[in-house]
Amino acid sequence: VARGFEDDDDDDEQDKKNTLNAAVASLSVRQVSQALWACGRMIAFEDPLRDKMEFGEAIPPPYLRHAKKYASFLLSSKDKLSPKDVAQSIWALGRLKISDDSILEPFAKIAAKLSSSCNSQEIANIMWGLGTLGFDRGDIVAVLVDRITSNAQLKEECTSQEASNVMYALGQMKFTIKTRLNL
Protein backbone atom coordinates (compact mmCIF):
# COMPACT_ATOMS: atom_id res chain seq x y z
CA VAL A 1 0.00 0.00 0.00
CA ALA A 2 2.77 2.46 0.97
CA ARG A 3 4.74 2.03 -2.25
CA GLY A 4 1.65 1.63 -4.44
CA PHE A 5 0.83 5.33 -4.36
CA GLU A 6 4.21 6.79 -5.17
CA ASP A 7 3.83 7.15 -8.93
CA ASP A 8 3.20 10.67 -10.12
CA ASP A 9 1.48 9.78 -13.35
CA ASP A 10 -1.38 11.65 -15.03
CA ASP A 11 -3.94 10.90 -12.29
CA ASP A 12 -4.95 14.00 -10.41
CA GLU A 13 -4.28 14.30 -6.69
CA GLN A 14 -7.94 13.83 -5.65
CA ASP A 15 -8.18 10.53 -7.54
CA LYS A 16 -5.07 9.34 -5.73
CA LYS A 17 -6.54 10.35 -2.35
CA ASN A 18 -9.79 8.54 -3.13
CA THR A 19 -7.90 5.45 -4.22
CA LEU A 20 -5.78 5.49 -1.06
CA ASN A 21 -8.86 5.97 1.14
CA ALA A 22 -10.59 3.02 -0.52
CA ALA A 23 -7.49 0.84 -0.26
CA VAL A 24 -6.94 1.62 3.42
CA ALA A 25 -10.63 1.12 4.26
CA SER A 26 -10.50 -2.38 2.77
CA LEU A 27 -7.59 -3.46 4.99
CA SER A 28 -7.56 -4.84 8.52
CA VAL A 29 -6.17 -2.83 11.42
CA ARG A 30 -3.17 -5.19 11.51
CA GLN A 31 -2.45 -4.60 7.81
CA VAL A 32 -2.62 -0.82 8.21
CA SER A 33 -0.39 -0.88 11.30
CA GLN A 34 2.07 -3.00 9.31
CA ALA A 35 1.93 -0.46 6.45
CA LEU A 36 2.70 2.34 8.91
CA TRP A 37 5.55 0.26 10.38
CA ALA A 38 6.87 -0.32 6.84
CA CYS A 39 6.91 3.44 6.27
CA GLY A 40 9.04 3.73 9.41
CA ARG A 41 11.42 1.11 8.05
CA MET A 42 11.60 2.74 4.60
CA ILE A 43 12.59 6.14 5.99
CA ALA A 44 15.98 4.63 6.85
CA PHE A 45 16.77 4.83 3.14
CA GLU A 46 15.87 8.52 3.13
CA ASP A 47 18.12 9.55 6.04
CA PRO A 48 20.72 11.21 3.79
CA LEU A 49 17.92 13.39 2.37
CA ARG A 50 16.36 14.41 5.72
CA ASP A 51 18.30 17.66 6.08
CA LYS A 52 17.51 18.61 2.52
CA MET A 53 13.80 17.78 3.04
CA GLU A 54 13.68 19.91 6.20
CA PHE A 55 15.05 22.90 4.30
CA GLY A 56 12.85 22.37 1.24
CA GLU A 57 15.75 21.32 -0.96
CA ALA A 58 14.36 17.84 -1.60
CA ILE A 59 10.84 16.50 -2.03
CA PRO A 60 9.77 14.13 0.75
CA PRO A 61 8.94 10.61 -0.39
CA PRO A 62 5.19 10.18 -1.04
CA TYR A 63 4.74 7.50 1.60
CA LEU A 64 5.38 10.12 4.30
CA ARG A 65 2.10 11.80 3.34
CA HIS A 66 0.33 8.46 3.55
CA ALA A 67 1.73 7.59 6.97
CA LYS A 68 -0.49 10.22 8.63
CA LYS A 69 -3.49 8.77 6.85
CA TYR A 70 -2.61 5.29 8.12
CA ALA A 71 -2.25 6.66 11.67
CA SER A 72 -5.60 8.45 11.44
CA PHE A 73 -7.27 5.28 10.20
CA LEU A 74 -5.82 3.32 13.11
CA LEU A 75 -7.07 5.90 15.60
CA SER A 76 -10.54 5.65 14.08
CA SER A 77 -10.38 1.91 14.83
CA LYS A 78 -8.79 2.24 18.28
CA ASP A 79 -10.99 -0.44 19.86
CA LYS A 80 -9.50 -3.00 17.48
CA LEU A 81 -5.86 -2.13 18.15
CA SER A 82 -3.66 -4.71 19.86
CA PRO A 83 -0.63 -3.79 21.99
CA LYS A 84 1.57 -4.84 19.06
CA ASP A 85 -0.32 -2.55 16.65
CA VAL A 86 0.05 0.39 19.03
CA ALA A 87 3.74 -0.30 19.73
CA GLN A 88 4.60 -0.61 16.04
CA SER A 89 2.61 2.50 15.19
CA ILE A 90 4.21 4.69 17.87
CA TRP A 91 7.65 3.37 16.90
CA ALA A 92 6.92 4.28 13.26
CA LEU A 93 5.66 7.76 14.23
CA GLY A 94 8.93 8.30 16.07
CA ARG A 95 11.00 7.03 13.17
CA LEU A 96 9.06 9.22 10.74
CA LYS A 97 9.20 12.21 13.11
CA ILE A 98 5.42 12.64 13.02
CA SER A 99 4.81 14.58 16.22
CA ASP A 100 1.35 15.92 15.41
CA ASP A 101 -0.42 16.12 18.80
CA SER A 102 -3.75 15.10 17.25
CA ILE A 103 -2.13 11.77 16.34
CA LEU A 104 0.53 11.24 19.01
CA GLU A 105 -1.49 12.03 22.13
CA PRO A 106 -4.36 9.62 21.32
CA PHE A 107 -1.86 6.86 20.50
CA ALA A 108 -0.07 7.51 23.80
CA LYS A 109 -3.35 7.32 25.72
CA ILE A 110 -4.21 4.03 24.00
CA ALA A 111 -0.73 2.72 24.88
CA ALA A 112 -1.25 3.60 28.54
CA LYS A 113 -4.65 1.90 28.50
CA LEU A 114 -3.23 -1.26 26.90
CA SER A 115 0.02 -1.24 28.90
CA SER A 116 -1.10 -4.05 31.22
CA SER A 117 -1.19 -6.31 28.14
CA CYS A 118 2.14 -5.16 26.67
CA ASN A 119 5.32 -7.19 26.75
CA SER A 120 8.72 -5.61 27.36
CA GLN A 121 9.49 -5.16 23.67
CA GLU A 122 6.20 -3.36 23.08
CA ILE A 123 6.77 -1.04 26.07
CA ALA A 124 10.32 -0.34 24.85
CA ASN A 125 9.10 0.46 21.31
CA ILE A 126 6.35 2.72 22.65
CA MET A 127 8.79 4.50 24.92
CA TRP A 128 11.39 4.87 22.14
CA GLY A 129 8.81 6.39 19.77
CA LEU A 130 7.47 8.78 22.40
CA GLY A 131 10.97 9.75 23.55
CA THR A 132 12.18 10.35 20.01
CA LEU A 133 9.33 12.81 19.55
CA GLY A 134 9.92 14.53 22.89
CA PHE A 135 6.55 13.49 24.30
CA ASP A 136 6.09 15.15 27.67
CA ARG A 137 2.94 13.80 29.30
CA GLY A 138 4.41 12.54 32.57
CA ASP A 139 1.18 10.84 33.65
CA ILE A 140 1.17 8.61 30.56
CA VAL A 141 4.90 7.95 30.71
CA ALA A 142 4.59 6.99 34.40
CA VAL A 143 2.03 4.30 33.53
CA LEU A 144 4.39 2.82 30.96
CA VAL A 145 7.42 3.02 33.24
CA ASP A 146 5.46 1.43 36.10
CA ARG A 147 4.46 -1.43 33.83
CA ILE A 148 8.00 -2.34 32.95
CA THR A 149 9.52 -1.68 36.39
CA SER A 150 6.87 -3.20 38.66
CA ASN A 151 6.10 -6.42 36.79
CA ALA A 152 8.50 -9.24 37.75
CA GLN A 153 7.96 -11.13 34.49
CA LEU A 154 8.66 -8.06 32.36
CA LYS A 155 11.79 -7.28 34.37
CA GLU A 156 12.98 -10.83 33.76
CA GLU A 157 12.29 -10.84 30.00
CA CYS A 158 13.50 -7.29 29.32
CA THR A 159 16.62 -7.37 27.13
CA SER A 160 19.50 -4.93 27.41
CA GLN A 161 18.41 -3.32 24.14
CA GLU A 162 14.87 -2.82 25.42
CA ALA A 163 16.17 -1.39 28.70
CA SER A 164 18.44 1.00 26.82
CA ASN A 165 15.54 2.09 24.58
CA VAL A 166 13.49 2.89 27.68
CA MET A 167 16.38 4.77 29.28
CA TYR A 168 17.02 6.69 26.03
CA ALA A 169 13.34 7.67 25.92
CA LEU A 170 13.31 8.81 29.53
CA GLY A 171 16.39 10.93 28.85
CA GLN A 172 14.85 12.46 25.74
CA MET A 173 11.71 13.29 27.71
CA LYS A 174 13.80 14.62 30.61
CA PHE A 175 11.78 12.27 32.79
CA THR A 176 13.25 11.90 36.25
CA ILE A 177 12.28 10.31 39.52
CA LYS A 178 11.50 13.83 40.72
CA THR A 179 9.06 14.30 37.81
CA ARG A 180 7.51 10.89 38.33
CA LEU A 181 6.88 11.43 42.03
CA ASN A 182 5.61 15.01 41.49
CA LEU A 183 8.22 16.44 43.88
Side-chain angles (χ1 to χ4, degrees):
V1 174
R3 287 277 184 201
F5 294 94
E6 290 189 17
D7 295 334
D8 285 329
D9 55 14
D10 294 336
D11 294 343
D12 73 343
E13 195 64 29
Q14 189 58 44
D15 285 345
K16 287 181 183 181
K17 286 179 183 177
N18 291 339
T19 303
L20 179 63
N21 289 338
V24 170
S26 70
L27 299 174
S28 71
V29 167
R30 175 55 52 97
Q31 290 169 317
V32 176
S33 71
Q34 290 292 311
L36 181 56
W37 177 84
C39 290
R41 294 291 295 171
M42 287 188 288
I43 196 68
F45 301 105
E46 312 297 342
D47 277 346
L49 297 176
R50 276 216 171 155
D51 288 338
K52 290 181 179 182
M53 287 188 292
E54 287 178 20
F55 295 109
E57 297 171 8
I59 298 171
Y63 62 82
L64 286 178
R65 291 191 313 266
H66 304 312
K68 277 189 170 183
K69 186 168 291 298
Y70 300 152
S72 295
F73 171 84
L74 292 169
L75 289 173
S76 73
S77 304
K78 64 183 174 187
D79 295 335
K80 296 177 184 176
L81 292 173
S82 70
K84 182 176 184 171
D85 297 329
V86 173
Q88 288 180 334
S89 297
I90 292 174
W91 175 87
L93 294 172
R95 190 73 180 99
L96 296 165
K97 301 199 183 313
I98 297 174
S99 58
D100 182 337
D101 284 340
S102 69
I103 293 173
L104 188 59
E105 181 122 357
F107 265 113
K109 287 179 180 178
I110 295 167
K113 182 179 174 185
L114 294 176
S115 66
S116 63
S117 300
C118 289
N119 62 36
S120 60
Q121 182 180 17
E122 291 161 348
I123 294 288
N125 286 343
I126 290 166
M127 291 293 295
W128 184 89
L130 294 175
T132 298
L133 296 171
F135 187 75
D136 63 0
R137 286 279 311 270
D139 57 328
I140 292 174
V141 173
V143 169
L144 298 166
V145 169
D146 285 345
R147 169 69 177 148
I148 204 161
T149 58
S150 65
N151 183 292
Q153 181 182 349
L154 288 186
K155 282 189 210 177
E156 185 68 30
E157 72 181 38
C158 187
T159 67
S160 58
Q161 180 180 355
E162 293 162 356
S164 64
N165 283 346
V166 171
M167 296 305 291
Y168 163 83
L170 293 173
Q172 291 297 109
M173 293 185 255
K174 297 175 178 44
F175 188 82
T176 64
I177 296 299
K178 192 178 218 182
T179 305
R180 186 167 171 261
L181 298 176
N182 295 321
L183 298 175

